[in-house]
Amino acid sequence: MADAAALADLIRNRAGDAPVELGLILGSGLGHLAHAVDGVAIPYADLPGFPHVGVSGHNPHLHIGTLEGVRVAAFGAREHYYESGNPRAMLLPLQVLKALGASQLILTNAAGSMREDVPPGSVMLLSDHINYSGLNPLIGEKTDARFVPMTDAHDPDMRLQLEAAAVRLGIDLPEGVYCWYSGPSFETPAEIRMLKLMGGDAVGMSTVPEVILARFLGLKVAAISTITNMAAGMSDEKISHEHTKAMAPLGAAKLERILREFLRSRK
Ligand code: HPA
């Protein structure tokens, strides 16, 4: 059984002892952002128990080093629920992140927009989410710690800082509610109409399990979506994974600038 403390030791042996402040999980088509980290990249394959990520457009390496002078751990890939049917797949990586010293996590993803005023190429800060899957990564946990409050799960202070960073850069960063739909098939137009009625602004296949796991571990979390398409039925464009990967770089450039400004301002 892989153990987070042992993995953290292994990582420190390769990347140095300085404690990590913040973790970054990179979504579809965004994995290359991890290369901005000045440090070492450790393949997930060298970290026993780390997920075997099979989705193209991801970079299965843990990059540890500095970004804008802040010590970060950037996960170039996540395992999605739809790969193995395990909503807890990212538990061990997040336990390792905590063992390395991090207290904060920023999650990123590619998502479909359900708002006409948030077109492809936009970035959206998650104000909250709807766990439409009904799945929960904490099912099976044995202690009362499993009853995690989810009010303010998307940390108000981190959100304010990210918004302030975007304002300073003149980048639009609307807030919205993200709906987790398990995938891997995309949604139907009828499902999107329903999600809109429920109060959703964006839809995607990730992030929500990691928000829950991170809150369980006591990490503060914020999440940003890069909008790659209008959700099903909202435009004539064909929705596909190829399209997601092709469109992600549009939002990725904005995302990288916001992240760098956020990190610069915390020093
Ligand atoms: N639906 C679900 N996941 C997604 C989408 C979408 O429209 N776009 C990118 N990831």
Side-chain angles (χ1 to χ4, degrees):
M1 238 323 249
D3 163 73
L7 282 173
D9 281 343
L10 187 160
I11 291 165
R12 278 190 288 259
N13 282 339
R14 283 172 65 167
D17 283 338
V20 166
E21 282 186 49
L22 177 130
L24 196 55
I25 294 186
L26 297 163
S28 298
L30 304 171
H32 68 280
L33 290 185
H35 295 294
V37 175
D38 185 10
V40 303
I42 304 174
Y44 285 5
D46 292 358
L47 301 169
F50 261 50
H52 303 282
V53 180
V55 192
S56 61
H58 288 254
N59 158 30
H61 290 78
L62 176 60
H63 295 243
I64 306 247
T66 52
L67 185 57
E68 298 297 337
V70 178
R71 182 96 170 148
V72 302
F75 297 80
R78 59 155 61 81
E79 181 176 329
H80 298 77
Y81 170 72
Y82 60 71
E83 291 180 71
S84 64
N86 175 16
R88 294 162 70 82
M90 292 303 287
L91 177 60
L92 182 66
L94 291 177
Q95 286 169 327
V96 169
L97 177 66
K98 190 173 173 183
L100 290 169
S103 58
Q104 292 188 331
L105 172 68
I106 295 183
L107 297 161
T108 66
N109 61 55
S113 174
M114 295 190 278
R115 270 187 25 204
E116 303 289 354
D117 65 327
V118 185
S122 308
V123 278
M124 191 191 90
L125 179 62
L126 275 59
S127 57
D128 204 345
H129 68 240
I130 294 175
N131 181 359
Y132 187 70
S133 73
L135 299 159
N136 198 297
L138 300 180
I139 290 173
E141 283 296 324
K142 298 289 183 264
T143 70
D144 282 358
R146 64 189 155 188
F147 299 113
V148 176
M150 294 299 287
T151 312
D152 287 341
H154 297 263
D155 189 70
D157 289 337
M158 288 178 76
R159 279 160 50 204
L160 276 177
Q161 288 163 27
L162 286 161
E163 273 164 355
V167 167
R168 284 196 296 277
L169 296 167
I171 297 175
D172 241 10
L173 183 63
E175 277 206 336
V177 173
Y178 175 94
C179 298
W180 178 30
Y181 205 85
S182 82
S185 57
F186 285 97
E187 305 72 35
T188 65
E191 287 163 345
I192 293 300
R193 288 194 297 276
M194 173 195 68
L195 294 176
K196 279 165 90 169
L197 283 174
M198 289 168 67
D201 297 297
V203 60
M205 305 178 191
S206 68
T207 302
V208 169
E210 293 110 74
V211 173
I212 296 170
L213 288 168
R215 293 306 301 139
F216 175 63
L217 297 174
L219 297 167
K220 290 186 172 171
V221 198
I224 300 181
S225 293
T226 57
I227 302 298
T228 54
N229 56 280
M230 295 310 291
M234 292 182 66
S235 98
D236 293 337
E237 217 160 34
K238 283 257 183 314
I239 298 174
S240 70
H241 186 57
E242 287 313 312
H243 185 261
T244 297
K245 286 188 293 182
M247 292 299 286
L250 276 182
K254 293 181 187 169
L255 181 64
E256 179 170 353
R257 290 180 63 209
I258 293 170
L259 288 175
R260 282 182 180 278
E261 178 65 19
F262 167 83
L263 292 172
R264 264 197 299 274
S265 66
R266 46 187 282 135
K267 277 186 301 181

